[in-house]
Amino acid sequence: LSRKDRCFRFRIARKEAKESRYWLRLVHVGDKDDLAQQRDTLHQESEELLLILSAIISKLAPPPASFEH
């Protein structure tokens, strides 16, 4: 894959991680502490994954074009 394709695919993965984080916030587990703990753990993992994917994307993305006059 080209650098541009890899960056595009990592952006898709980051978008999916953001969506997973969103749905985890919406999950209502009631008064079940074990489920709340699992949800919180998954939410934390999605946050970490977002940071990793964002770092990869920033390294793969081409630098912004500079315009010199």
Side-chain angles (χ1 to χ4, degrees):
L1 292 173
S2 71
R3 185 180 190 103
K4 187 175 178 180
D5 286 335
R6 280 187 301 209
C7 189
F8 177 72
R9 292 178 194 277
F10 279 115
R11 284 189 174 128
I12 291 172
R14 183 176 61 181
K15 185 176 178 182
E16 293 291 334
K18 286 180 181 180
E19 185 177 351
S20 296
R21 182 182 61 177
Y22 169 76
W23 286 109
L24 284 168
R25 277 188 297 189
L26 294 180
V27 171
H28 176 69
V29 293
D31 57 354
K32 297 187 177 14
D33 291 335
D34 57 330
L35 292 179
Q37 184 179 8
Q38 287 178 348
R39 181 198 56 208
D40 294 342
T41 300
L42 289 172
H43 188 269
Q44 178 62 34
E45 286 182 14
S46 70
E47 290 286 339
E48 293 170 5
L49 187 56
L50 275 172
L51 292 173
I52 292 168
L53 291 170
S54 294
I56 292 170
I57 290 168
S58 69
K59 289 183 188 334
L60 284 177
S66 62
F67 295 102
E68 294 182 22
H69 294 268

Short mmCIF file of all heavy atoms in Angstrom, two decimals:
data_model
loop_
_atom_site.label_atom_id
_atom_site.label_comp_id
_atom_site.label_asym_id
_atom_site.label_seq_id
_atom_site.Cartn_x
_atom_site.Cartn_y
_atom_site.Cartn_z
N LEU A 1 0.82 -1.19 0.00
CA LEU A 1 0.00 0.00 0.00
C LEU A 1 0.86 1.25 0.00
O LEU A 1 1.93 1.27 0.62
CB LEU A 1 -0.88 0.04 1.25
CG LEU A 1 -1.99 -0.99 1.37
CD1 LEU A 1 -2.62 -0.90 2.74
CD2 LEU A 1 -3.01 -0.82 0.31
N SER A 2 0.36 2.25 -0.64
CA SER A 2 1.10 3.51 -0.64
C SER A 2 0.93 4.20 0.71
O SER A 2 0.06 3.86 1.51
CB SER A 2 0.60 4.42 -1.76
OG SER A 2 -0.69 4.90 -1.44
N ARG A 3 1.75 5.19 0.95
CA ARG A 3 1.69 5.95 2.20
C ARG A 3 0.31 6.60 2.35
O ARG A 3 -0.27 6.63 3.43
CB ARG A 3 2.80 6.98 2.19
CG ARG A 3 2.97 7.76 3.44
CD ARG A 3 4.12 8.75 3.26
NE ARG A 3 4.46 9.35 4.51
CZ ARG A 3 5.49 9.04 5.25
NH1 ARG A 3 6.33 8.11 4.85
NH2 ARG A 3 5.72 9.65 6.38
N LYS A 4 -0.21 7.14 1.25
CA LYS A 4 -1.52 7.79 1.27
C LYS A 4 -2.62 6.78 1.60
O LYS A 4 -3.53 7.08 2.38
CB LYS A 4 -1.78 8.43 -0.10
CG LYS A 4 -3.00 9.26 -0.16
CD LYS A 4 -3.11 9.95 -1.52
CE LYS A 4 -4.37 10.76 -1.63
NZ LYS A 4 -4.48 11.41 -2.94
N ASP A 5 -2.56 5.58 1.04
CA ASP A 5 -3.55 4.54 1.32
C ASP A 5 -3.50 4.10 2.78
O ASP A 5 -4.54 3.91 3.41
CB ASP A 5 -3.34 3.32 0.42
CG ASP A 5 -3.79 3.56 -1.01
OD1 ASP A 5 -4.66 4.43 -1.22
OD2 ASP A 5 -3.26 2.88 -1.90
N ARG A 6 -2.29 3.93 3.29
CA ARG A 6 -2.15 3.54 4.70
C ARG A 6 -2.74 4.60 5.61
O ARG A 6 -3.44 4.30 6.57
CB ARG A 6 -0.69 3.28 5.06
CG ARG A 6 -0.21 1.92 4.62
CD ARG A 6 1.16 1.69 5.14
NE ARG A 6 2.01 2.77 4.59
CZ ARG A 6 3.29 2.67 4.35
NH1 ARG A 6 3.92 1.58 4.64
NH2 ARG A 6 3.97 3.68 3.84
N CYS A 7 -2.45 5.85 5.31
CA CYS A 7 -2.98 6.95 6.11
C CYS A 7 -4.50 6.94 6.06
O CYS A 7 -5.16 7.11 7.10
CB CYS A 7 -2.42 8.27 5.60
SG CYS A 7 -2.80 9.67 6.65
N PHE A 8 -5.06 6.73 4.89
CA PHE A 8 -6.51 6.67 4.74
C PHE A 8 -7.10 5.54 5.57
O PHE A 8 -8.10 5.72 6.27
CB PHE A 8 -6.86 6.49 3.26
CG PHE A 8 -8.33 6.35 2.99
CD1 PHE A 8 -9.18 7.43 3.12
CD2 PHE A 8 -8.86 5.13 2.63
CE1 PHE A 8 -10.55 7.29 2.87
CE2 PHE A 8 -10.21 4.97 2.40
CZ PHE A 8 -11.06 6.06 2.51
N ARG A 9 -6.47 4.38 5.55
CA ARG A 9 -6.99 3.23 6.31
C ARG A 9 -6.86 3.45 7.82
O ARG A 9 -7.72 3.05 8.59
CB ARG A 9 -6.28 1.95 5.88
CG ARG A 9 -6.66 1.58 4.46
CD ARG A 9 -5.94 0.35 3.96
NE ARG A 9 -6.07 0.20 2.54
CZ ARG A 9 -7.10 -0.36 1.92
NH1 ARG A 9 -8.11 -0.81 2.63
NH2 ARG A 9 -7.13 -0.46 0.60
N PHE A 10 -5.79 4.09 8.25
CA PHE A 10 -5.66 4.42 9.67
C PHE A 10 -6.71 5.44 10.09
O PHE A 10 -7.20 5.41 11.21
CB PHE A 10 -4.25 4.91 10.00
CG PHE A 10 -3.25 3.81 10.19
CD1 PHE A 10 -2.18 3.67 9.33
CD2 PHE A 10 -3.38 2.91 11.24
CE1 PHE A 10 -1.26 2.64 9.50
CE2 PHE A 10 -2.47 1.89 11.43
CZ PHE A 10 -1.41 1.75 10.55
N ARG A 11 -7.04 6.35 9.19
CA ARG A 11 -8.11 7.31 9.50
C ARG A 11 -9.45 6.61 9.66
O ARG A 11 -10.26 6.98 10.51
CB ARG A 11 -8.19 8.39 8.43
CG ARG A 11 -7.08 9.40 8.55
CD ARG A 11 -7.30 10.57 7.62
NE ARG A 11 -6.29 11.57 7.87
CZ ARG A 11 -5.52 12.11 6.94
NH1 ARG A 11 -5.67 11.75 5.68
NH2 ARG A 11 -4.62 13.00 7.26
N ILE A 12 -9.70 5.61 8.83
CA ILE A 12 -10.93 4.83 8.97
C ILE A 12 -10.93 4.11 10.30
O ILE A 12 -11.95 4.09 11.02
CB ILE A 12 -11.08 3.83 7.80
CG1 ILE A 12 -11.35 4.58 6.50
CG2 ILE A 12 -12.20 2.83 8.08
CD1 ILE A 12 -11.34 3.71 5.27
N ALA A 13 -9.82 3.51 10.67
CA ALA A 13 -9.71 2.81 11.96
C ALA A 13 -9.94 3.77 13.12
O ALA A 13 -10.62 3.43 14.10
CB ALA A 13 -8.35 2.12 12.08
N ARG A 14 -9.39 4.99 13.01
CA ARG A 14 -9.59 5.98 14.07
C ARG A 14 -11.06 6.37 14.17
O ARG A 14 -11.60 6.51 15.26
CB ARG A 14 -8.72 7.21 13.81
CG ARG A 14 -8.84 8.24 14.92
CD ARG A 14 -7.92 9.41 14.73
NE ARG A 14 -8.22 10.10 13.49
CZ ARG A 14 -7.54 11.15 13.06
NH1 ARG A 14 -6.51 11.62 13.74
NH2 ARG A 14 -7.87 11.73 11.92
N LYS A 15 -11.71 6.51 13.03
CA LYS A 15 -13.13 6.85 13.03
C LYS A 15 -13.94 5.74 13.69
O LYS A 15 -14.88 6.00 14.45
CB LYS A 15 -13.59 7.07 11.58
CG LYS A 15 -15.01 7.52 11.45
CD LYS A 15 -15.35 7.80 10.00
CE LYS A 15 -16.79 8.21 9.85
NZ LYS A 15 -17.17 8.44 8.46
N GLU A 16 -13.61 4.49 13.43
CA GLU A 16 -14.29 3.36 14.05
C GLU A 16 -14.06 3.36 15.56
O GLU A 16 -14.97 3.06 16.34
CB GLU A 16 -13.82 2.05 13.43
CG GLU A 16 -14.22 1.86 11.99
CD GLU A 16 -15.71 1.65 11.80
OE1 GLU A 16 -16.39 1.18 12.73
OE2 GLU A 16 -16.20 1.97 10.70
N ALA A 17 -12.85 3.68 15.98
CA ALA A 17 -12.56 3.74 17.42
C ALA A 17 -13.36 4.85 18.09
O ALA A 17 -13.86 4.68 19.21
CB ALA A 17 -11.06 3.95 17.65
N LYS A 18 -13.51 5.98 17.40
CA LYS A 18 -14.32 7.06 17.95
C LYS A 18 -15.78 6.64 18.08
O LYS A 18 -16.44 6.96 19.07
CB LYS A 18 -14.24 8.30 17.05
CG LYS A 18 -12.94 9.05 17.15
CD LYS A 18 -12.96 10.26 16.23
CE LYS A 18 -11.66 11.02 16.28
NZ LYS A 18 -11.67 12.19 15.38
N GLU A 19 -16.26 5.92 17.08
CA GLU A 19 -17.65 5.45 17.13
C GLU A 19 -17.84 4.45 18.27
O GLU A 19 -18.85 4.48 18.98
CB GLU A 19 -18.05 4.84 15.80
CG GLU A 19 -19.51 4.44 15.75
CD GLU A 19 -19.93 3.89 14.41
OE1 GLU A 19 -19.15 3.95 13.44
OE2 GLU A 19 -21.06 3.38 14.34
N SER A 20 -16.87 3.57 18.46
CA SER A 20 -16.95 2.60 19.56
C SER A 20 -16.98 3.32 20.90
O SER A 20 -17.76 2.97 21.80
CB SER A 20 -15.76 1.65 19.52
OG SER A 20 -15.80 0.88 18.36
N ARG A 21 -16.16 4.35 21.04
CA ARG A 21 -16.14 5.13 22.27
C ARG A 21 -17.50 5.79 22.51
O ARG A 21 -18.01 5.79 23.63
CB ARG A 21 -15.05 6.19 22.18
CG ARG A 21 -14.91 7.04 23.42
CD ARG A 21 -13.85 8.09 23.27
NE ARG A 21 -14.21 8.97 22.17
CZ ARG A 21 -13.52 10.03 21.81
NH1 ARG A 21 -12.41 10.33 22.43
NH2 ARG A 21 -13.90 10.77 20.80
N TYR A 22 -18.10 6.30 21.44
CA TYR A 22 -19.42 6.92 21.55
C TYR A 22 -20.46 5.93 22.05
O TYR A 22 -21.21 6.22 22.98
CB TYR A 22 -19.83 7.47 20.17
CG TYR A 22 -21.27 7.91 20.09
CD1 TYR A 22 -21.67 9.10 20.66
CD2 TYR A 22 -22.22 7.12 19.45
CE1 TYR A 22 -22.99 9.51 20.59
CE2 TYR A 22 -23.53 7.51 19.38
CZ TYR A 22 -23.92 8.71 19.94
OH TYR A 22 -25.23 9.10 19.88
N TRP A 23 -20.50 4.74 21.47
CA TRP A 23 -21.49 3.75 21.86
C TRP A 23 -21.24 3.24 23.27
O TRP A 23 -22.19 2.94 24.01
CB TRP A 23 -21.55 2.60 20.86
CG TRP A 23 -22.22 3.01 19.59
CD1 TRP A 23 -21.63 3.21 18.37
CD2 TRP A 23 -23.60 3.33 19.43
NE1 TRP A 23 -22.57 3.63 17.47
CE2 TRP A 23 -23.79 3.71 18.08
CE3 TRP A 23 -24.71 3.33 20.27
CZ2 TRP A 23 -25.03 4.07 17.57
CZ3 TRP A 23 -25.95 3.70 19.76
CH2 TRP A 23 -26.10 4.06 18.43
N LEU A 24 -19.99 3.14 23.66
CA LEU A 24 -19.70 2.71 25.03
C LEU A 24 -20.20 3.74 26.04
O LEU A 24 -20.65 3.37 27.13
CB LEU A 24 -18.19 2.49 25.21
CG LEU A 24 -17.66 1.21 24.60
CD1 LEU A 24 -16.13 1.24 24.57
CD2 LEU A 24 -18.16 0.00 25.35
N ARG A 25 -20.15 5.01 25.69
CA ARG A 25 -20.68 6.03 26.59
C ARG A 25 -22.19 5.91 26.73
O ARG A 25 -22.76 6.24 27.76
CB ARG A 25 -20.34 7.43 26.09
CG ARG A 25 -18.95 7.87 26.48
CD ARG A 25 -18.75 9.31 26.12
NE ARG A 25 -18.85 9.41 24.66
CZ ARG A 25 -18.57 10.48 23.95
NH1 ARG A 25 -18.20 11.58 24.54
NH2 ARG A 25 -18.67 10.49 22.64
N LEU A 26 -22.87 5.44 25.68
CA LEU A 26 -24.32 5.33 25.70
C LEU A 26 -24.84 4.08 26.41
O LEU A 26 -26.01 4.02 26.75
CB LEU A 26 -24.87 5.35 24.27
CG LEU A 26 -24.69 6.65 23.50
CD1 LEU A 26 -25.28 6.50 22.11
CD2 LEU A 26 -25.32 7.81 24.23
N VAL A 27 -23.97 3.11 26.60
CA VAL A 27 -24.40 1.85 27.22
C VAL A 27 -24.79 2.10 28.67
O VAL A 27 -24.02 2.65 29.46
CB VAL A 27 -23.28 0.79 27.15
CG1 VAL A 27 -23.63 -0.43 27.97
CG2 VAL A 27 -23.01 0.40 25.72
N HIS A 28 -26.01 1.71 28.99
CA HIS A 28 -26.49 1.82 30.37
C HIS A 28 -26.46 0.42 30.98
O HIS A 28 -27.11 -0.50 30.49
CB HIS A 28 -27.92 2.38 30.39
CG HIS A 28 -28.49 2.43 31.76
ND1 HIS A 28 -28.02 3.30 32.72
CD2 HIS A 28 -29.49 1.73 32.33
CE1 HIS A 28 -28.71 3.13 33.83
NE2 HIS A 28 -29.61 2.18 33.62
N VAL A 29 -25.71 0.26 32.04
CA VAL A 29 -25.55 -1.07 32.65
C VAL A 29 -26.33 -1.19 33.95
O VAL A 29 -26.27 -2.23 34.60
CB VAL A 29 -24.06 -1.40 32.90
CG1 VAL A 29 -23.33 -1.55 31.58
CG2 VAL A 29 -23.41 -0.37 33.77
N GLY A 30 -27.06 -0.16 34.30
CA GLY A 30 -27.85 -0.23 35.53
C GLY A 30 -26.95 -0.26 36.74
O GLY A 30 -25.95 0.45 36.82
N ASP A 31 -27.31 -1.10 37.69
CA ASP A 31 -26.53 -1.17 38.94
C ASP A 31 -25.58 -2.37 38.96
O ASP A 31 -25.19 -2.84 40.01
CB ASP A 31 -27.48 -1.20 40.14
CG ASP A 31 -28.46 -2.36 40.08
OD1 ASP A 31 -28.49 -3.06 39.05
OD2 ASP A 31 -29.20 -2.55 41.06
N LYS A 32 -25.23 -2.86 37.79
CA LYS A 32 -24.32 -4.00 37.69
C LYS A 32 -22.88 -3.48 37.64
O LYS A 32 -22.42 -3.01 36.60
CB LYS A 32 -24.66 -4.83 36.47
CG LYS A 32 -26.06 -5.43 36.55
CD LYS A 32 -26.25 -6.36 35.40
CE LYS A 32 -27.50 -7.08 35.33
NZ LYS A 32 -28.63 -7.07 35.82
N ASP A 33 -22.21 -3.59 38.77
CA ASP A 33 -20.86 -3.04 38.89
C ASP A 33 -19.86 -3.73 37.97
O ASP A 33 -18.96 -3.08 37.43
CB ASP A 33 -20.36 -3.11 40.33
CG ASP A 33 -21.12 -2.16 41.24
OD1 ASP A 33 -21.66 -1.15 40.72
OD2 ASP A 33 -21.18 -2.42 42.46
N ASP A 34 -20.00 -5.05 37.80
CA ASP A 34 -19.05 -5.76 36.95
C ASP A 34 -19.16 -5.31 35.50
O ASP A 34 -18.16 -5.14 34.81
CB ASP A 34 -19.23 -7.27 37.08
CG ASP A 34 -20.64 -7.74 36.73
OD1 ASP A 34 -21.59 -6.96 36.94
OD2 ASP A 34 -20.77 -8.88 36.25
N LEU A 35 -20.39 -5.07 35.03
CA LEU A 35 -20.57 -4.59 33.66
C LEU A 35 -20.07 -3.16 33.51
O LEU A 35 -19.49 -2.79 32.49
CB LEU A 35 -22.04 -4.68 33.24
CG LEU A 35 -22.61 -6.08 33.07
CD1 LEU A 35 -24.08 -6.01 32.69
CD2 LEU A 35 -21.82 -6.86 32.03
N ALA A 36 -20.28 -2.35 34.53
CA ALA A 36 -19.78 -0.97 34.49
C ALA A 36 -18.26 -0.96 34.42
O ALA A 36 -17.67 -0.15 33.69
CB ALA A 36 -20.27 -0.20 35.71
N GLN A 37 -17.64 -1.85 35.16
CA GLN A 37 -16.17 -1.93 35.15
C GLN A 37 -15.67 -2.37 33.77
O GLN A 37 -14.71 -1.82 33.25
CB GLN A 37 -15.67 -2.88 36.23
CG GLN A 37 -14.17 -2.92 36.32
CD GLN A 37 -13.70 -3.86 37.43
OE1 GLN A 37 -14.48 -4.59 38.01
NE2 GLN A 37 -12.41 -3.83 37.68
N GLN A 38 -16.33 -3.35 33.17
CA GLN A 38 -15.94 -3.80 31.83
C GLN A 38 -16.12 -2.68 30.81
O GLN A 38 -15.27 -2.47 29.94
CB GLN A 38 -16.75 -5.02 31.41
CG GLN A 38 -16.37 -6.28 32.13
CD GLN A 38 -17.24 -7.46 31.71
OE1 GLN A 38 -18.26 -7.30 31.05
NE2 GLN A 38 -16.83 -8.66 32.09
N ARG A 39 -17.23 -1.96 30.91
CA ARG A 39 -17.48 -0.85 30.00
C ARG A 39 -16.39 0.22 30.15
O ARG A 39 -15.87 0.73 29.17
CB ARG A 39 -18.85 -0.24 30.27
CG ARG A 39 -19.18 0.91 29.32
CD ARG A 39 -20.27 1.79 29.81
NE ARG A 39 -19.93 2.30 31.13
CZ ARG A 39 -20.82 2.64 32.04
NH1 ARG A 39 -22.10 2.52 31.80
NH2 ARG A 39 -20.44 3.10 33.22
N ASP A 40 -16.05 0.55 31.39
CA ASP A 40 -15.03 1.56 31.63
C ASP A 40 -13.67 1.12 31.09
O ASP A 40 -12.91 1.94 30.55
CB ASP A 40 -14.94 1.88 33.12
CG ASP A 40 -16.20 2.56 33.63
OD1 ASP A 40 -16.99 3.07 32.81
OD2 ASP A 40 -16.40 2.55 34.87
N THR A 41 -13.36 -0.16 31.24
CA THR A 41 -12.10 -0.69 30.71
C THR A 41 -12.07 -0.59 29.19
O THR A 41 -11.07 -0.16 28.61
CB THR A 41 -11.92 -2.16 31.14
OG1 THR A 41 -11.91 -2.23 32.56
CG2 THR A 41 -10.64 -2.75 30.59
N LEU A 42 -13.17 -0.94 28.54
CA LEU A 42 -13.24 -0.85 27.09
C LEU A 42 -13.16 0.61 26.62
O LEU A 42 -12.52 0.91 25.61
CB LEU A 42 -14.53 -1.50 26.57
CG LEU A 42 -14.59 -3.01 26.67
CD1 LEU A 42 -15.98 -3.51 26.31
CD2 LEU A 42 -13.55 -3.65 25.76
N HIS A 43 -13.78 1.49 27.38
CA HIS A 43 -13.72 2.91 27.04
C HIS A 43 -12.28 3.41 27.12
O HIS A 43 -11.81 4.14 26.24
CB HIS A 43 -14.63 3.71 27.96
CG HIS A 43 -14.78 5.13 27.56
ND1 HIS A 43 -13.95 6.11 28.02
CD2 HIS A 43 -15.64 5.73 26.71
CE1 HIS A 43 -14.30 7.27 27.49
NE2 HIS A 43 -15.33 7.06 26.69
N GLN A 44 -11.56 3.01 28.16
CA GLN A 44 -10.16 3.41 28.31
C GLN A 44 -9.31 2.85 27.17
O GLN A 44 -8.45 3.56 26.63
CB GLN A 44 -9.62 2.94 29.67
CG GLN A 44 -8.16 3.28 29.90
CD GLN A 44 -7.90 4.78 29.91
OE1 GLN A 44 -8.73 5.56 30.33
NE2 GLN A 44 -6.74 5.17 29.40
N GLU A 45 -9.56 1.61 26.78
CA GLU A 45 -8.81 1.02 25.67
C GLU A 45 -9.09 1.75 24.37
O GLU A 45 -8.18 1.95 23.55
CB GLU A 45 -9.15 -0.46 25.53
CG GLU A 45 -8.55 -1.31 26.62
CD GLU A 45 -8.85 -2.79 26.45
OE1 GLU A 45 -9.30 -3.21 25.36
OE2 GLU A 45 -8.64 -3.53 27.42
N SER A 46 -10.33 2.18 24.17
CA SER A 46 -10.64 2.92 22.95
C SER A 46 -9.93 4.27 22.94
O SER A 46 -9.48 4.74 21.90
CB SER A 46 -12.14 3.09 22.77
OG SER A 46 -12.67 3.98 23.71
N GLU A 47 -9.81 4.91 24.11
CA GLU A 47 -9.08 6.17 24.21
C GLU A 47 -7.61 5.96 23.85
O GLU A 47 -7.02 6.75 23.11
CB GLU A 47 -9.16 6.73 25.63
CG GLU A 47 -10.52 7.25 26.03
CD GLU A 47 -10.86 8.58 25.38
OE1 GLU A 47 -9.94 9.30 24.94
OE2 GLU A 47 -12.05 8.88 25.29
N GLU A 48 -7.02 4.89 24.37
CA GLU A 48 -5.62 4.60 24.09
C GLU A 48 -5.41 4.29 22.61
O GLU A 48 -4.43 4.74 22.00
CB GLU A 48 -5.14 3.44 24.95
CG GLU A 48 -5.07 3.78 26.43
CD GLU A 48 -4.84 2.58 27.32
OE1 GLU A 48 -4.64 1.46 26.80
OE2 GLU A 48 -4.88 2.76 28.55
N LEU A 49 -6.34 3.55 22.03
CA LEU A 49 -6.26 3.23 20.61
C LEU A 49 -6.37 4.49 19.76
O LEU A 49 -5.64 4.65 18.77
CB LEU A 49 -7.37 2.24 20.24
CG LEU A 49 -7.34 1.65 18.84
CD1 LEU A 49 -6.01 0.98 18.56
CD2 LEU A 49 -8.48 0.69 18.65
N LEU A 50 -7.23 5.41 20.16
CA LEU A 50 -7.35 6.69 19.45
C LEU A 50 -6.02 7.45 19.46
O LEU A 50 -5.60 8.01 18.44
CB LEU A 50 -8.43 7.56 20.08
CG LEU A 50 -9.85 7.31 19.62
CD1 LEU A 50 -10.82 8.10 20.48
CD2 LEU A 50 -10.00 7.68 18.17
N LEU A 51 -5.37 7.47 20.61
CA LEU A 51 -4.08 8.16 20.71
C LEU A 51 -3.03 7.50 19.82
O LEU A 51 -2.25 8.19 19.15
CB LEU A 51 -3.61 8.20 22.16
CG LEU A 51 -4.43 9.07 23.10
CD1 LEU A 51 -3.96 8.88 24.55
CD2 LEU A 51 -4.37 10.52 22.70
N ILE A 52 -3.00 6.19 19.80
CA ILE A 52 -2.04 5.46 18.98
C ILE A 52 -2.29 5.73 17.50
O ILE A 52 -1.37 6.04 16.73
CB ILE A 52 -2.09 3.95 19.28
CG1 ILE A 52 -1.57 3.67 20.69
CG2 ILE A 52 -1.31 3.15 18.24
CD1 ILE A 52 -1.85 2.27 21.19
N LEU A 53 -3.55 5.61 17.09
CA LEU A 53 -3.89 5.82 15.68
C LEU A 53 -3.61 7.27 15.26
O LEU A 53 -3.13 7.52 14.16
CB LEU A 53 -5.36 5.45 15.43
CG LEU A 53 -5.67 3.97 15.53
CD1 LEU A 53 -7.18 3.74 15.52
CD2 LEU A 53 -4.99 3.18 14.43
N SER A 54 -3.90 8.21 16.14
CA SER A 54 -3.64 9.61 15.82
C SER A 54 -2.14 9.87 15.65
O SER A 54 -1.73 10.63 14.76
CB SER A 54 -4.20 10.52 16.91
OG SER A 54 -5.61 10.45 16.92
N ALA A 55 -1.33 9.24 16.48
CA ALA A 55 0.12 9.39 16.35
C ALA A 55 0.62 8.79 15.03
O ALA A 55 1.46 9.40 14.35
CB ALA A 55 0.83 8.72 17.53
N ILE A 56 0.08 7.65 14.66
CA ILE A 56 0.48 7.02 13.39
C ILE A 56 0.07 7.91 12.22
O ILE A 56 0.86 8.14 11.30
CB ILE A 56 -0.15 5.62 13.26
CG1 ILE A 56 0.46 4.66 14.29
CG2 ILE A 56 0.02 5.07 11.85
CD1 ILE A 56 -0.25 3.33 14.40
N ILE A 57 -1.14 8.43 12.28
CA ILE A 57 -1.63 9.28 11.19
C ILE A 57 -0.78 10.54 11.07
O ILE A 57 -0.43 10.96 9.96
CB ILE A 57 -3.12 9.62 11.41
CG1 ILE A 57 -3.97 8.37 11.21
CG2 ILE A 57 -3.57 10.74 10.47
CD1 ILE A 57 -5.40 8.51 11.67
N SER A 58 -0.43 11.13 12.19
CA SER A 58 0.38 12.35 12.13
C SER A 58 1.76 12.09 11.54
O SER A 58 2.34 12.95 10.90
CB SER A 58 0.49 13.00 13.50
OG SER A 58 1.29 12.21 14.36
N LYS A 59 2.28 10.88 11.73
CA LYS A 59 3.58 10.55 11.16
C LYS A 59 3.48 10.20 9.68
O LYS A 59 4.41 10.44 8.92
CB LYS A 59 4.21 9.39 11.93
CG LYS A 59 4.66 9.78 13.33
CD LYS A 59 5.33 8.61 14.00
CE LYS A 59 5.66 8.78 15.45
NZ LYS A 59 5.88 10.06 16.00
N LEU A 60 2.35 9.62 9.28
CA LEU A 60 2.17 9.22 7.88
C LEU A 60 1.70 10.36 6.99
O LEU A 60 2.01 10.39 5.80
CB LEU A 60 1.15 8.09 7.77
CG LEU A 60 1.60 6.70 8.17
CD1 LEU A 60 0.44 5.73 8.07
CD2 LEU A 60 2.74 6.23 7.29
N ALA A 61 0.92 11.27 7.55
CA ALA A 61 0.33 12.34 6.75
C ALA A 61 1.44 13.23 6.20
O ALA A 61 2.40 13.54 6.91
CB ALA A 61 -0.65 13.14 7.58
N PRO A 62 1.29 13.65 4.97
CA PRO A 62 2.31 14.54 4.40
C PRO A 62 2.26 15.90 5.11
O PRO A 62 1.20 16.33 5.56
CB PRO A 62 1.89 14.67 2.94
CG PRO A 62 0.46 14.31 2.91
CD PRO A 62 0.23 13.36 4.04
N PRO A 63 3.39 16.53 5.21
CA PRO A 63 3.40 17.86 5.85
C PRO A 63 2.58 18.83 5.03
O PRO A 63 2.50 18.71 3.81
CB PRO A 63 4.88 18.23 5.89
CG PRO A 63 5.53 17.39 4.88
CD PRO A 63 4.69 16.14 4.74
N PRO A 64 1.97 19.82 5.68
CA PRO A 64 1.18 20.79 4.93
C PRO A 64 2.06 21.59 3.98
O PRO A 64 3.21 21.89 4.28
CB PRO A 64 0.57 21.68 6.01
CG PRO A 64 1.38 21.43 7.23
CD PRO A 64 1.99 20.08 7.11
N ALA A 65 1.50 21.88 2.84
CA ALA A 65 2.25 22.64 1.83
C ALA A 65 2.46 24.06 2.31
O ALA A 65 1.55 24.69 2.84
CB ALA A 65 1.49 22.62 0.51
N SER A 66 3.66 24.54 2.15
CA SER A 66 3.94 25.92 2.52
C SER A 66 3.99 26.77 1.27
O SER A 66 4.57 26.37 0.24
CB SER A 66 5.24 26.01 3.30
OG SER A 66 6.31 25.58 2.48
N PHE A 67 3.38 27.90 1.33
CA PHE A 67 3.35 28.81 0.19
C PHE A 67 4.32 29.96 0.45
O PHE A 67 4.17 30.68 1.42
CB PHE A 67 1.94 29.35 -0.01
CG PHE A 67 0.95 28.28 -0.40
CD1 PHE A 67 0.08 27.77 0.55
CD2 PHE A 67 0.91 27.79 -1.69
CE1 PHE A 67 -0.82 26.78 0.22
CE2 PHE A 67 0.02 26.81 -2.02
CZ PHE A 67 -0.86 26.30 -1.09
N GLU A 68 5.28 30.08 -0.41
CA GLU A 68 6.25 31.15 -0.28
C GLU A 68 5.98 32.17 -1.38
O GLU A 68 5.79 31.83 -2.53
CB GLU A 68 7.67 30.61 -0.40
CG GLU A 68 8.02 29.70 0.75
CD GLU A 68 9.46 29.22 0.65
OE1 GLU A 68 10.27 29.89 -0.03
OE2 GLU A 68 9.77 28.20 1.24
N HIS A 69 5.98 33.41 -0.99
CA HIS A 69 5.73 34.48 -1.96
C HIS A 69 6.98 35.25 -2.22
O HIS A 69 7.81 35.50 -1.54
CB HIS A 69 4.63 35.42 -1.45
CG HIS A 69 3.31 34.74 -1.35
ND1 HIS A 69 2.40 34.77 -2.37
CD2 HIS A 69 2.74 34.02 -0.37
CE1 HIS A 69 1.33 34.10 -2.01
NE2 HIS A 69 1.52 33.63 -0.79
#
